[in-house]
Amino acid sequence: MRALIAATALALVTALTAPVASALPDVEPAGAVVAPPDGPAQAWLVADLDTGRVLAAKDPNGLHAPASTIKILLALVVVDHLNPNSFARANPSHTRVECSCVGLTPGAPYTTRQLLEALLMVSGNDAANMLADMLGGQRVAVATMNAKAQQLGARSTRAASPSGLDGPGWESVTTAHDLAVLFRAALANPLIAYILRQPSAQFPGKTLTAQNELLARYPGDLGGKTGYTNLARKTYVGAAQRGTRRLVVVQMYGTGDLYGQAIGLFDWGFSQP
């Protein structure tokens, strides 16, 4: 199995720009003595966060449902168009959604920043609905998300809902490559990067605790976003730093312990020249 992974999954020179038309080249990085750890994710990728160079990948251009990892794309659109200190009042339509939810109270005011924290830290689908309305409604928000993905070079990505929830006729799709592209853009934004690093944050009536377990488990973790739907299975995108080097890891269509595989991919990536 390790030989198979080494022969088919490693790539040194591929960069996270526009999606490539074919699979990554079968090239093992100079100095690599062990293959990267395969695991429960059907598709995965580990890349340098700053240069975009892909160190290793398995099916990086395969299309999969993103689940809540697509909220990274919504956050990018929100910081483009909304003032973090602006506020609006929740209404009942925002809360009529399959949860995970932060627990919005209809009639209560929330700032854009509070909703971003609810979106990224606890994956609030109600917060996603409210942010979409603040952007002009669900259709406008989704169209703006898709335009943003194209602008960034995530050209295989199609959001169908602001939250990543799937339904008949509106399934979202993306790739491990595209999620890495989007996460690199997200961490380039100071507010999003700060929120993703927070272990906790104050929210009206409660304290939010980040769902990303690697904040506590992996030294140097820079934040991440998990997701799950029946169609997507488990998904994850995150980044970590060791010394001056920063890596991004993506996992899609997974089962079991994605965090364990992510730790293995980070450790492997940091061990490479």
Side-chain angles (χ1 to χ4, degrees):
M1 176 60 73
R2 298 181 70 84
L4 177 63
I5 296 168
T8 61
L10 303 183
L12 175 62
V13 296
T14 304
L16 293 172
T17 53
V20 294
S22 60
L24 295 177
D26 299 337
V27 178
E28 184 166 349
V33 294
V34 294
D38 202 4
Q42 183 169 304
W44 52 262
L45 176 149
V46 56
D48 188 286
L49 184 69
D50 297 302
T51 67
R53 187 172 66 178
V54 177
L55 303 181
K58 177 181 179 181
D59 192 25
N61 300 303
L63 289 172
H64 298 283
S68 287
T69 55
I70 204 67
K71 290 182 170 86
I72 294 295
L73 180 56
L74 176 60
L76 285 165
V77 169
V78 167
V79 296
D80 279 349
H81 296 279
L82 299 177
N83 186 314
N85 297 316
S86 64
F87 73 93
R89 294 187 182 274
N91 66 54
S93 70
H94 301 146
T95 63
R96 289 196 288 266
V97 63
E98 180 183 338
C99 290
S100 60
C101 295
V102 69
L104 298 181
T105 301
Y110 300 94
T111 67
T112 300
R113 178 175 180 140
Q114 288 170 338
L115 294 170
L116 278 172
E117 289 173 333
L119 182 81
L120 296 174
M121 295 177 66
V122 299
S123 206
N125 292 333
D126 49 355
N129 279 353
M130 186 169 175
L131 287 167
D133 271 4
M134 292 169 71
L135 288 165
Q138 301 272 323
R139 287 188 178 182
V140 172
V142 168
T144 310
M145 289 167 68
N146 286 324
K148 183 69 173 179
Q150 293 295 307
Q151 174 197 337
L152 292 171
R155 298 195 179 97
S156 297
T157 297
R158 181 179 68 86
S161 70
S163 63
L165 288 174
D166 301 305
W170 46 281
E171 292 85 3
S172 300
V173 292
T174 190
T175 66
H177 168 280
D178 282 12
L179 273 183
V181 169
L182 297 176
F183 204 70
R184 289 181 71 210
L187 287 189
N189 179 273
L191 178 58
I192 295 177
Y194 182 85
I195 290 173
L196 287 170
R197 288 197 306 270
Q198 291 185 125
S200 64
Q202 294 305 307
F203 191 81
K206 64 185 70 181
T207 298
L208 305 182
T209 301
Q211 292 178 339
N212 172 31
E213 295 179 15
L214 290 192
L215 280 173
R217 289 178 57 184
Y218 195 78
D221 188 75
L222 298 174
K225 186 73 194 73
T226 60
Y228 176 83
T229 64
N230 290 336
L231 183 63
R233 301 193 181 181
K234 290 183 177 181
T235 59
Y236 170 80
V237 57
Q241 182 169 350
R242 186 172 295 175
T244 59
R245 195 174 189 191
R246 304 193 304 168
L247 299 178
V248 58
V249 162
V250 182
Q251 297 158 287
M252 303 199 73
Y253 205 72
T255 57
D257 181 19
L258 292 198
Y259 286 125
Q261 184 186 5
I263 289 171
L265 289 171
F266 280 128
D267 283 347
W268 178 87
F270 287 124
S271 73
Q272 301 309 304

